[in-house]
């Protein structure tokens, strides 16, 4: 049944992509990559990831650490900071593939995750930008306002103290958020807030929340369709799932 549902979902994405025009800039995201040992069920094999990079380049997109143009740019994000990123950093660095790594600060030094020393190493590379994924990965719309603010503030402060860099971006755990979370994150100092709502970079939700497309298990044809915008067909379903007024 699950396989059938996934097949239907992919079919709709491919069909909808035929109605999408132009190469508008997009943010795509993964959770980890692996060559040998796999640290999460959400991890993408390095072979599939390489194929995605090839498709991006063959279709004339530029890989960037921060999107600045309406057309032709792709930003790649990784959530949680699993260990596979560190173990495969040589491939990313050698091929000049910039990534945006969102870190859960309480996970640092835990099994399966990057430790503080490794994160410091990554922060010194030109291809790696580091941002917050909160402190404990608590679902922000399920906790009280004070605890929510601590989640946002503590992660930012820990990363800035450790890495000696400004941290002004965050992505919401499980993509869940509401208007209060948006405003609180802005007050804490997050200029850029990343969701899991599919869409183009400049088509921001409520004018300030960045939309991203999950691609970690996408086959070649599905990935091509997502780059064009085929997954936007599920946009309103994602809003119902992730956004609470």
């Amino acid at each position: 049944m699950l396989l059938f549902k996934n097949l239907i979902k992919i079919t709709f994405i491919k069909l909808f992509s035929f109605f999408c025009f132009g190469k508008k800039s997009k943010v795509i995201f993964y959770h980890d990559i692996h060559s040998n040992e796999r640290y999460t069920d959400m991890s993408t094999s390095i072979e599939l990831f390489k194929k995605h990079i090839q498709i991006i380049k063959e279709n004339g997109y530029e890989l960037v650490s921060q999107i600045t143009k309406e057309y032709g740019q792709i930003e790649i994000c990784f959530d949680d900071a699993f260990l596979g990123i560190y173990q495969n950093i040589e491939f990313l660095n050698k091929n000049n593939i910039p990534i945006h790594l969102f870190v859960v600060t309480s996970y640092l030094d835990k099994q399966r995750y990057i430790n503080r020393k490794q994160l410091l190493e990554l922060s010194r590379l030109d291809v790696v930008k580091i941002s917050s994924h909160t402190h404990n990965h608590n679902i922000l719309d399920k906790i009280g306002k004070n605890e929510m603010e601590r989640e946002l503030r503590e992660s930012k402060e820990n990363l800035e103290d450790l890495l000696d860099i400004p941290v002004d971006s965050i992505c919401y755990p499980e993509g869940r958020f509401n208007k209060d979370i948006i405003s609180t994150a802005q007050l804490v100092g997050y200029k850029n807030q990343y969701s899991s709502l599919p869409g183009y970079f400049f088509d921001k939700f409520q004018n300030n929340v960045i939309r991203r497309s999950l691609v970690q298990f996408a086959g070649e044809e599905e990935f091509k369709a997502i780059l064009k915008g085929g997954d936007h067909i599920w946009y309103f379903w994602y809003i119902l799932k992730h956004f609470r007024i």
Side-chain angles (χ1 to χ4, degrees):
M1 179 61 73
L2 181 60
L3 182 62
F4 178 73
K5 288 182 178 179
N6 286 336
L7 181 60
I8 294 296
K9 181 179 180 180
I10 292 169
T11 300
F12 273 110
I13 289 173
K14 290 179 181 179
L15 288 174
F16 191 73
S17 70
F18 289 109
F19 301 94
C20 302
F21 303 97
K23 293 194 306 182
K24 284 193 172 184
S25 298
K26 283 179 68 73
V27 181
I28 60 176
F29 76 104
Y30 304 79
H31 282 85
D32 200 19
I33 47 177
H34 63 274
S35 300
N36 297 310
E37 189 170 359
R38 191 174 181 179
Y39 297 100
T40 170
D41 290 340
M42 298 178 289
S43 184
T44 304
S45 71
I46 191 66
E47 291 78 15
L48 180 58
F49 183 72
K50 287 178 179 178
K51 178 56 67 174
H52 287 180
I53 298 300
Q54 180 183 341
I55 291 170
I56 289 170
K57 293 181 177 180
E58 287 176 349
N59 282 272
Y61 290 94
E62 175 190 13
L63 288 167
V64 296
S65 58
Q66 177 65 54
I67 291 173
T68 57
K69 300 176 182 178
E70 186 174 0
Y71 292 90
Q73 293 184 330
I74 297 292
E75 177 183 342
I76 297 176
C77 299
F78 283 90
D79 293 0
D80 299 338
F82 286 101
L83 189 55
I85 293 294
Y86 181 80
Q87 293 180 340
N88 289 279
I89 193 60
E90 183 178 351
F91 169 76
L92 299 172
N93 200 30
K94 180 181 178 181
N95 291 280
N96 194 31
I97 300 171
I99 65 168
H100 195 168
L101 182 61
F102 289 94
V103 179
V104 182
T105 46
S106 71
Y107 290 179
L108 292 171
D109 298 318
K110 289 187 176 180
Q111 189 176 10
R112 302 189 297 124
Y113 295 92
I114 291 168
N115 62 38
R116 284 173 169 78
K117 181 180 178 181
Q118 292 165 340
L119 187 65
L120 191 57
E121 287 181 46
L122 293 179
S123 73
R124 293 169 177 162
L125 299 175
D126 291 337
V127 297
V128 180
K129 178 180 179 180
I130 294 172
S131 294
S132 169
H133 197 25
T134 71
H135 182 59
N136 292 302
H137 203 273
N138 288 330
I139 312 307
L140 298 177
D141 66 350
K142 289 187 174 182
I143 57 179
K145 182 176 176 60
N146 290 339
E147 185 179 356
M148 179 262 288
E149 183 176 343
R150 282 196 299 271
E151 281 287 312
L152 298 171
R153 191 179 300 279
E154 191 168 353
S155 175
K156 177 178 168 65
E157 291 175 350
N158 285 349
L159 289 173
E160 290 179 339
D161 289 344
L162 174 64
L163 306 175
D164 194 26
I165 59 172
V167 174
D168 63 3
S169 299
I170 188 167
C171 73
Y172 313 121
E174 294 191 9
R176 299 278 296 273
F177 68 107
N178 56 35
K179 290 182 178 180
D180 193 32
I181 292 165
I182 295 173
S183 60
T184 303
Q186 288 175 328
L187 289 172
V188 168
Y190 293 111
K191 297 179 182 178
N192 305 303
Q193 300 181 42
Y194 289 72
S195 70
S196 299
L197 306 177
Y200 300 119
F201 178 81
F202 286 100
D203 296 339
K204 295 179 181 176
F205 181 74
Q206 298 199 345
N207 298 317
N208 55 9
V209 175
I210 297 167
R211 295 158 65 173
R212 306 188 301 170
S213 293
L214 182 64
V215 297
Q216 60 195 21
F217 299 136
E220 294 182 35
E221 294 305 315
E222 182 187 0
F223 186 74
K224 292 176 184 177
I226 289 174
L227 287 185
K228 291 180 66 178
D231 61 327
H232 303 182
I233 192 173
W234 305 115
Y235 176 67
F236 291 106
W237 180 82
Y238 273 93
I239 289 178
L240 291 173
K241 181 180 178 182
H242 293 284
F243 180 67
R244 298 290 183 271
I245 298 176

